[in-house]
Amino acid sequence: MTAYDKLKAARAARRPTGAAYIDGLFEDCMELHGDRRFGDDAAIVGGIGRLGDLPVTYIAIDRGTDIHSRMAKNFGCPKPEGYRKGLRLMKQAEKFGRPIICLVDTQGAFCGADAEERGQGEAIAENIMEMMDLRVPVISIIIGEGGSGGALALASANRVYMLENAVYSVISPEGCASILWKDAAKVADAAEVLHITAEDMKHYGIAEEIIPEDFQDFPAMCAAVKAQLVQDLTQLLALSPEQLQQTRYERFRKFGIFKEA
């Protein structure tokens, strides 16, 4: 598959949403709402649940499954109150020593005037800053599209995984094509030069592992992902809070450092 093929697969209408992964991975879930500042953003779904025997906080970007739910969720493009809700749940998880699992699937943060008026950029920046300093393990999975800072605001984690047909990019290929070639029709070319695929991300050290997709047997796929997460969290929980902070910091500091022959 080309990078553009994978982009289309990541955006496929029938691809499982964040809510589907919550149902498949966690038990005894209790969804929590609101950012305690403005309101509740339906694009981000978060709460408390169990991953096996481990109590965790889960935070997922959800695109919705039909036109009505997608409109209610801004097609998976969170507003500032969504990111602030996510941060509130992360700080709560830190207070009670719960690991955090983030599920990311967004073309990017909502770009409407109301979001800008309520501090969209500041909300994303605050999430990134605060996530880097969390004293509990954080694992993020790119389950579909990881678009720009809107994705990074929930992916500043100790470990980042990607589904095999997921993509992760600093800008949408359409936006890149419009800027570089003044032609949005060159989206396939942009997808190639941006290196957005899971294989690219693993090659550059931005993602640790690639998760095979098996939507024909989604429960079995979720069971395999759950087993991997439990194994990883067991390892991360053995580290001290200071070690978690330091390894997370070092993980991001090495991005963009290469040696050429």
Side-chain angles (χ1 to χ4, degrees), residues 32 35 37 47-48 57-59 83-100 102 126-138 154 245 248:
L32 302 175
D35 67 343
R37 298 190 194 183
I48 304 166
T57 288
Y58 63 84
I59 303 167
Y83 291 114
R84 289 173 179 141
K85 173 170 67 173
L87 180 57
R88 179 176 74 84
L89 297 182
M90 291 181 214
K91 299 302 286 186
Q92 182 195 74
E94 182 181 49
K95 178 179 179 179
F96 293 102
R98 288 191 301 268
I100 300 165
C102 295
E126 185 178 14
N127 270 38
I128 296 171
M129 179 182 70
E130 293 287 352
M131 286 187 78
M132 294 301 294
D133 205 37
L134 288 171
R135 296 169 63 83
V136 292
V138 185
L154 293 181
Q245 293 171 322
R248 194 183 303 127

Side-chain angles (χ1 to χ4, degrees), residues 48-67:
I48 304 166
R50 283 192 303 107
L51 183 73
D53 294 328
L54 290 173
V56 298
T57 288
Y58 63 84
I59 303 167
I61 300 177
D62 187 53
R63 291 175 180 253
T65 55
D66 56 36
I67 188 61

Side-chain angles (χ1 to χ4, degrees), residues 7-210:
L7 177 66
K8 290 188 287 186
R11 293 174 174 175
R14 295 186 179 276
R15 190 177 182 88
T17 65
Y21 286 93
I22 291 172
D23 292 339
L25 294 175
F26 308 110
E27 301 172 1
D28 299 332
C29 293
M30 178 185 295
E31 185 178 349
L32 302 175
H33 297 272
D35 67 343
R36 301 300 187 267
R37 298 190 194 183
F38 178 81
D40 187 47
D41 183 0
I44 290 186
V45 181
I48 304 166
R50 283 192 303 107
L51 183 73
D53 294 328
L54 290 173
V56 298
T57 288
Y58 63 84
I59 303 167
I61 300 177
D62 187 53
R63 291 175 180 253
T65 55
D66 56 36
I67 188 61
H68 300 292
S69 61
R70 286 173 182 164
M71 290 179 66
K73 294 173 181 288
N74 301 314
F75 295 86
C77 296
K79 294 185 177 182
E81 51 269 24
Y83 291 114
R84 289 173 179 141
K85 173 170 67 173
L87 180 57
R88 179 176 74 84
L89 297 182
M90 291 181 214
K91 299 302 286 186
Q92 182 195 74
E94 182 181 49
K95 178 179 179 179
F96 293 102
R98 288 191 301 268
I100 300 165
I101 307 294
C102 295
L103 304 165
V104 179
D105 183 17
T106 181
Q107 291 188 23
F110 188 72
C111 58
D114 59 335
E116 295 298 329
E117 289 167 354
R118 294 197 295 275
Q120 183 73 286
E122 183 269 344
I124 292 171
E126 185 178 14
N127 270 38
I128 296 171
M129 179 182 70
E130 293 287 352
M131 286 187 78
M132 294 301 294
D133 205 37
L134 288 171
R135 296 169 63 83
V136 292
V138 185
I139 298 177
S140 294
I141 306 175
I142 313 298
I143 61 173
E145 194 170 4
S148 191
L152 189 59
L154 293 181
S156 299
N158 292 94
R159 296 181 184 176
V160 174
Y161 294 153
M162 293 183 66
L163 268 62
E164 62 179 304
N165 290 324
V167 296
Y168 201 8
S169 177
V170 69
I171 188 174
S172 71
E174 291 87 353
C176 176
S178 296
I179 292 171
L180 292 185
W181 294 290
K182 311 300 182 186
D183 184 1
K186 291 187 175 290
V187 58
D189 296 328
E192 289 294 337
V193 300
L194 281 170
H195 299 291
I196 62 177
T197 69
E199 289 79 7
D200 291 324
M201 294 301 106
K202 185 174 181 181
H203 172 73
Y204 291 116
I206 294 170
E208 273 71 26
E209 295 293 342
I210 299 173

Side-chain angles (χ1 to χ4, degrees), residues 219-235:
M221 176 184 163
C222 286
V225 174
K226 182 188 294 187
Q228 181 68 53
L229 289 173
V230 169
Q231 177 180 316
D232 287 0
L233 288 178
T234 301
Q235 296 171 359

